Amino acid sequence: MAGEFVTGPGLIQFRDLVLGPDPLRWRGLEGWQELPSSDDASAPRSGQHGTLPGPLLAQARTVTLDVLMRVAGDPGAVVDRIERATALVDDETPLVVWLDSRGPRMVFGRVVRCRIPVDRAYRIGTVVGIPIQWSCSDPRRYGLAEQSAVTGLPQAEGGLTFPLTFPLDWGTPAVSGTLTAVNSGYAPTSPIVEFVGPVDTPAMVRLSDGTRLEYDLVLGAGETLTVDTRSQSVRLAGADRLYTATSRSVPEEWFRLEPGATDLAFRAAPGSTDPAASMTVRWRSAYW
């Protein structure tokens, strides 16, 4: 679990490396509490002063940590821990930082720089100024807790059965087929959606404006279609199904949960009403 050893303010964890208590303390953190660089798509006005405001698209976030190592005696074992945790890998890993009363937040990054100075103090276990630097392709910081909500397809209420018997049986309760996702942060976040069959042409619709993700396929009972809007992937049993997006579906990367509450609906082709079908939405609150 990401951040399992981050139990209070002042602690930082990357993989199994925990920074804060001895023997590894940190002295400075750059690139964490600042806006990432951005690309400005504004265009000059024709015949007027100024520009036409365009979207601001955040670039990758770079985080740099300044570490101090203090070991009583030979530093080899501690240095080995640092080198193992900062080895070059292609995949991004959670970097969890807890600074203050707001609790821990994390980014997904990979180490691109680590330098352990070797001088006369190294042999006695004191090393000052160990820079560790991460490159984070997604510049947003996230809450640790992944939230989720689930709903089935819309179902009408069963109603009373005649002739009446007592006590009254009102039948199966109605299902609206909607859910609410709350992003408690102040940056848009990219959800993961799981459609579970049996369902024909599963779709997720944002009720505020009708924006949808919709796929032209039939899911059998228990089959799961997973849509990751961050990585723009659509997979069924590990196979790519991105090509099944309908003409009414927006590109996956465009479907984001803005700060606050977003009402979403699970919809399908007419006649597809099996109560066993479901839609699960998973997300983390996001912060710049």
Side-chain angles (χ1 to χ4, degrees):
M1 175 181 173
E4 60 183 316
F5 301 121
V6 177
T7 56
L11 297 180
I12 297 174
Q13 181 181 348
F14 182 71
R15 297 179 184 159
D16 60 353
L17 185 67
V18 180
L19 303 136
D22 286 331
L24 294 171
R25 294 189 174 273
W26 59 274
R27 305 187 305 167
L29 181 63
E30 296 183 4
W32 184 260
Q33 291 201 151
E34 63 183 67
L35 285 175
S37 300
S38 60
D39 292 323
D40 187 349
S42 298
R45 289 182 179 272
S46 177
Q48 298 186 46
H49 300 294
T51 61
L52 294 168
L56 294 174
L57 300 178
Q59 299 175 353
R61 181 184 295 272
T62 299
V63 178
T64 305
L65 190 67
D66 184 11
V67 178
L68 166 65
M69 181 181 74
R70 286 177 178 166
V71 182
D74 188 276
V78 177
V79 170
D80 187 68
R81 284 169 50 197
I82 297 173
E83 292 179 341
R84 287 179 182 275
T86 59
L88 293 177
V89 295
D90 291 336
D91 295 332
E92 294 184 316
T93 304
L95 168 64
V96 180
V97 177
W98 189 342
L99 291 183
D100 50 40
S101 60
R102 295 173 296 173
R105 293 177 182 171
M106 71 176 178
V107 293
F108 296 90
R110 53 186 182 177
V111 175
V112 293
R113 181 181 179 226
C114 179
R115 182 179 66 86
I116 302 176
V118 178
D119 55 22
R120 298 177 67 178
Y122 180 89
R123 288 294 302 158
I124 61 173
T126 299
V127 180
V128 178
I130 303 174
I132 304 177
Q133 188 171 85
W134 291 264
S135 177
C136 310
S137 62
D138 182 348
R140 292 167 290 189
R141 300 175 295 163
Y142 292 95
L144 259 62
E146 183 178 69
Q147 302 171 76
S148 65
V150 61
T151 186
L153 286 167
Q155 304 290 328
E157 187 173 285
L160 290 170
T161 301
F162 292 89
L164 296 177
T165 58
F166 295 90
L168 294 176
D169 181 3
W170 291 91
T172 306
V175 176
S176 66
T178 63
L179 59 83
T180 300
V182 179
N183 175 7
S184 301
Y186 41 80
T189 192
S190 301
I192 294 175
V193 187
E194 295 174 342
F195 298 106
V196 178
V199 62
D200 182 358
T201 319
M204 179 173 72
V205 182
R206 187 165 58 208
L207 294 179
S208 62
D209 59 6
T211 298
R212 67 175 54 210
L213 296 173
E214 184 178 71
Y215 301 94
D216 184 14
L217 46 71
V218 177
L219 297 178
E223 288 188 317
T224 301
L225 183 72
T226 302
V227 182
D228 188 332
T229 62
R230 167 61 186 167
S231 64
Q232 305 172 57
S233 66
V234 180
R235 296 196 171 275
L236 175 61
D240 180 31
R241 291 293 184 270
L242 183 62
Y243 64 87
T244 65
T246 71
S247 59
R248 299 196 299 174
S249 186
V250 299
E252 283 71 18
E253 64 177 330
W254 290 7
F255 203 110
R256 302 179 298 179
L257 303 178
E258 297 295 331
T262 302
D263 293 325
L264 303 168
F266 181 23
R267 297 294 183 258
S272 185
T273 59
D274 196 307
S278 67
M279 178 184 78
T280 300
V281 181
R282 296 188 282 118
W283 73 96
R284 283 187 169 91
S285 294
Y287 309 82
W288 289 122

